[in-house]
Each structure stands twice: as structure tokens, then as C-alpha cells.
Amino acid sequence: MKKANEILSSINPLKLTKKISRQKELVGKAPGSLIYTGEVVDVPVELSVIRYSETHYDSFILKNATDAHEEKGVDHISWINVDGIHDVDIIKTIGKDFDLHSLLLEDILNIEQRPKIEVYGDNLVVFFKMMYLRDNKLDIEPISLVLGPNYLISFQEKKGDIFDNVRARIKNTNGRIRKRGSDYLLFALMDAVVDNYFVVMEDIADKLELLEDKLFEDTDNKLLYELQQYRKQIVNMRRSVYPLREVVNKLNRAEFGVISEDTERFFRDLYDHTIQIIETIETFKETVSSLKDVFMTGVSNKMNEIMKVLTLIATIFIPVTFVAGVYGMNFEDMPELSWEYGYEATWGLMLLMGGAMLVYFKKKKWL
């Protein structure tokens, strides 16, 4: 087993990326008020389009948000990706061109929106969370997918995602995704997000295993802080993933006309993955709780060891103190006080009693 200091140096706990929320700005506002509740950044919003069919592929960047409405009339499947939702005017423009309800746009701009599924006219809208690791920090980012008859619009809070493999599959002429509709693209994106949950889970599992080894070697207060950090991560992950189960379950039951029966089978598989993720999170929750109990038990055992040593020391000095107390009394008729070797004999008696008790403790394996 690794030494305590080696294990401690190898543990680098995940940290949650701090998010600035302006949720209070929605208080008292009329329903459908378009207010971005995240941190305002001076970064341009990027709109990219991937247009494809079984025999066609095209990818380009939109210079103006007003150009996105042309994707409604094409004969191909269009994936419109919006990197950045902090520019309310752009979101409003897209919403107008695609007949998106103001309540839907309000939810898209709300970074605290819980996972859910809604139907607005011809559009099916899915809200959920995307989790990934950045510089050993757990980043939980909201993502909204608007599914139409021949298009899908994805709204992401910031640039950078986990959809590179999906883009590569679309570019590949032999990919299954090229032969299917926009509903399958919805599944592919959600499947990529859920698959990335497993990557995050694996990293947390490895770190919890190292932390468990460390807890059996040391009871440093730093470990309690790390356990608290993992508890916060698991609570946030649980809040993000649990509602997704109901979302995928609704898609699995094919309650929506835009989801074909053929694609329904894939959502059934995605539902199984979601359940597996939830079970893993519950396991993490129990693990952190048990590790905290182990930590507290270790602290208690350490305190008991200290009290044991102090008790043994006090026990050794009890008879010695008794002897010193007896001969410390100033009675005149104490023959030992006038004995020539009384001082040496008293020391010898006290050392003999102390040594005898030490031998007894050793024999009992109390030392």
C-alpha cells in the first residue's frame, strides 16, 4: 500500500466551476421576459450550421442570426448550433424566425433551468445539463435542443462541447446518422452527453478510491475538506441527472409526432444508460457517506489511543504518588524518616512499582 504522503500528493480533487447567477433579476418580471441569468461576457456568439442528407454534406458559419431562418426551407437536415446565449438579441431573432414561444426563450436564457421536455407548436424542446472536465474542474453547463421537422437548434452557454464525434459521424458518408432524420440527431447529441457522464464518473471513482486508501493512513483535516468537495459535486450531479430520467422516458414512449418509432428504440437504450448513471451517483453518495464515517472513526480511534497513553501514564504514577504522599507527611513517629537509607529505599520502591506496572502493561499488550 502506498505511504500516506504519496497518496495525499496523488489526490487532486475535482472542483466545481463557480457560476455567477443573476436569477434574482427574474423576480417580479412578467412571464416570457428575456433575461440572461448567467455571467455576462464580452465574447461574440457563434452560429454554425451543418446541413446534411444521405448524399449531401455542408458545414459553414453564419455571419448574421437572421440567416438561420433559411434552414427551415431546405430539403436536408440542418443542425444549427449556437455557442453563447448571453446575447439576448440574437436569441430573440432566432426565436422569431423559428416561431419559438417567449416562455421557451426565457427557459433557454435561464442557466438554472432544470432538465425537462416541452412541446411548442411543431417544435419539441429538450433542456438538460452537459458535464465535462476542464483543468480538473467539473463544469456543468445547460444545453437546450429545439427539434423541428427538418432541423435541430442547439443552444449552448459557451463555446466548446463534446460533440466532435457526432460531427465526425455526420461528415462520414457511411454513417447511420446521415440516413436518418433530425429526431435521430437529437438522440445522437443526448447520447454523447450521457456517454460523457461516464467519463466524469470514472474520474470521480478513481479519486474516491485514492481518497479511501488515504483515509486508512491518515486523518488529516484536509481529507474532510476533500470529502465535502465530493459531496457538493455529487449533489450537483444528482440535481442535473435525476430529472433527465423522466425526459428520456417520455422520449422513449414515443408520445411525440416528431419522434419516429424507429428512433424510439435508441431512446430506450439511452434510458438504460441514464438509469446506470443515476445508480452510479447513488453509489458515490453512499461511498462519500461511508468514507466520512471512516474518517470520523479514525479520528475517534486516534483520540482513544491518546487517551489510552495518558491513562497508562497516570496509572503508573498513582502508586508512586501514594508513596510520595505517605512519606511527605510530617509525623514525628515515622521510623523510615530517620533511617540512613530511607531516601534511597523510597526511590527504589517507587521505581520498582513503576517498572512492575510497565511489565504488567506489556504483558497485557496495552503498550
Side-chain angles (χ1 to χ4, degrees):
M1 182 174 289
K2 297 181 180 178
K3 294 182 179 179
N5 57 349
E6 292 178 351
I7 299 176
L8 182 60
S9 62
S10 63
I11 297 177
N12 190 12
L14 292 175
K15 297 179 180 180
L16 282 171
T17 301
K18 294 183 178 180
K19 288 184 176 291
I20 299 177
S21 177
R22 300 186 298 146
Q23 193 77 13
K24 61 182 180 181
E25 295 189 16
L26 293 175
V27 177
K29 299 291 184 180
S33 299
L34 303 185
I35 299 176
Y36 173 57
T37 61
E39 181 181 4
V40 178
V41 293
D42 188 18
V43 177
V45 176
E46 181 178 293
L47 286 82
S48 60
V49 175
I50 295 180
R51 187 187 297 169
Y52 67 93
S53 66
E54 187 173 356
T55 58
H56 173 82
Y57 173 84
D58 192 13
S59 175
F60 53 91
I61 303 295
L62 291 178
K63 295 182 179 179
N64 299 307
T66 54
D67 297 335
H69 77 281
E70 298 178 2
E71 300 305 312
K72 294 179 65 176
V74 299
D75 296 331
H76 310 294
I77 303 299
S78 292
W79 173 16
I80 306 169
N81 184 59
V82 182
D83 284 328
I85 56 175
H86 52 274
D87 193 326
V88 177
D89 292 333
I90 291 180
I91 303 300
K92 187 182 299 184
T93 299
I94 296 176
K96 182 179 179 181
D97 291 339
F98 286 86
D99 301 321
L100 304 181
H101 199 278
S102 59
L103 291 176
L104 164 61
L105 299 179
E106 180 185 19
D107 290 340
I108 291 175
L109 294 171
N110 184 7
I111 65 172
E112 300 296 336
Q113 179 61 53
R114 71 188 298 273
K116 67 174 184 176
I117 186 169
E118 297 284 352
V119 177
Y120 289 90
D122 295 333
N123 296 311
L124 176 67
V125 189
V126 180
F127 301 90
F128 58 107
K129 303 289 185 178
M130 182 166 55
M131 291 188 295
Y132 45 85
L133 300 174
R134 284 180 176 173
D135 300 327
N136 206 52
K137 290 185 178 181
L138 179 61
D139 197 353
I140 301 179
E141 177 186 338
I143 181 171
S144 309
L145 302 180
V146 179
L147 176 65
N150 67 322
Y151 61 85
L152 184 142
I153 310 174
S154 56
F155 295 91
Q156 302 186 51
E157 186 183 7
K158 63 188 72 173
K159 188 175 182 179
D161 53 40
I162 55 175
F163 299 138
D164 289 341
N165 287 337
V166 178
R167 295 185 179 95
R169 288 164 57 192
I170 295 176
K171 192 173 182 179
N172 182 8
T173 56
N174 295 324
R176 176 191 299 164
I177 195 170
R178 291 278 291 270
K179 304 174 183 178
R180 298 179 180 269
S182 56
D183 57 339
Y184 187 83
L185 176 60
L186 172 67
F187 158 76
L189 296 180
M190 295 184 67
D191 185 56
V193 171
V194 172
D195 285 347
N196 198 66
Y197 288 168
F198 287 101
V199 177
V200 176
M201 300 294 174
E202 183 178 354
D203 189 271
I204 293 179
D206 291 341
K207 293 183 182 300
L208 284 177
E209 185 176 351
L210 288 173
L211 187 58
E212 184 178 6
D213 292 338
K214 179 64 183 71
L215 283 173
F216 286 102
E217 297 288 338
D218 195 8
T219 54
D220 195 322
N221 287 334
K222 180 181 178 182
L223 298 178
L224 186 61
Y225 168 77
E226 292 178 7
L227 282 173
Q228 182 66 12
Q229 293 301 308
Y230 283 115
R231 189 193 69 81
K232 290 180 179 179
Q233 294 166 15
I234 292 170
V235 168
N236 279 274
M237 291 167 60
R238 192 175 187 271
R239 187 185 300 121
S240 300
V241 175
Y242 258 70
L244 182 61
R245 173 177 58 180
E246 182 62 26
V247 171
V248 179
N249 191 32
K250 287 183 178 180
L251 293 169
N252 174 37
R253 293 199 299 262
E255 297 180 350
F256 312 101
V258 290
I259 304 295
S260 65
E261 293 184 6
D262 184 51
T263 306
E264 177 192 352
R265 295 178 302 172
F266 297 99
F267 281 111
R268 189 177 301 118
D269 180 69
L270 182 62
Y271 180 76
D272 292 338
H273 291 175
T274 305
I275 295 299
Q276 186 177 351
I277 290 292
I278 291 175
E279 291 175 349
T280 304
I281 292 177
E282 286 299 317
T283 301
F284 286 162
K285 182 181 177 181
E286 295 175 2
T287 300
V288 170
S289 179
S290 62
L291 288 180
K292 188 175 181 180
D293 292 340
V294 169
F295 176 84
M296 298 308 297
T297 301
V299 172
S300 179
N301 289 339
K302 188 175 182 180
M303 181 62 67
N304 290 339
E305 287 295 324
I306 295 175
M307 294 303 299
K308 176 182 176 181
V309 173
L310 293 178
T311 301
L312 292 178
I313 292 175
T315 303
I316 291 173
F317 276 91
I318 286 176
V320 174
T321 304
F322 172 76
V323 173
V326 169
Y327 289 103
M329 295 184 294
N330 295 322
F331 292 113
E332 294 182 0
D333 297 330
M334 295 183 69
E336 294 90 350
L337 296 179
S338 58
W339 184 30
E340 178 181 1
Y341 301 105
Y343 178 75
E344 291 82 357
T346 303
W347 266 109
L349 177 62
M350 290 190 294
L351 291 175
L352 179 62
M353 295 173 67
M357 296 195 71
L358 283 174
V359 172
Y360 179 76
F361 293 156
K362 286 281 189 180
K363 186 176 181 181
K364 288 290 186 178
K365 297 182 180 180
W366 293 348
L367 285 176

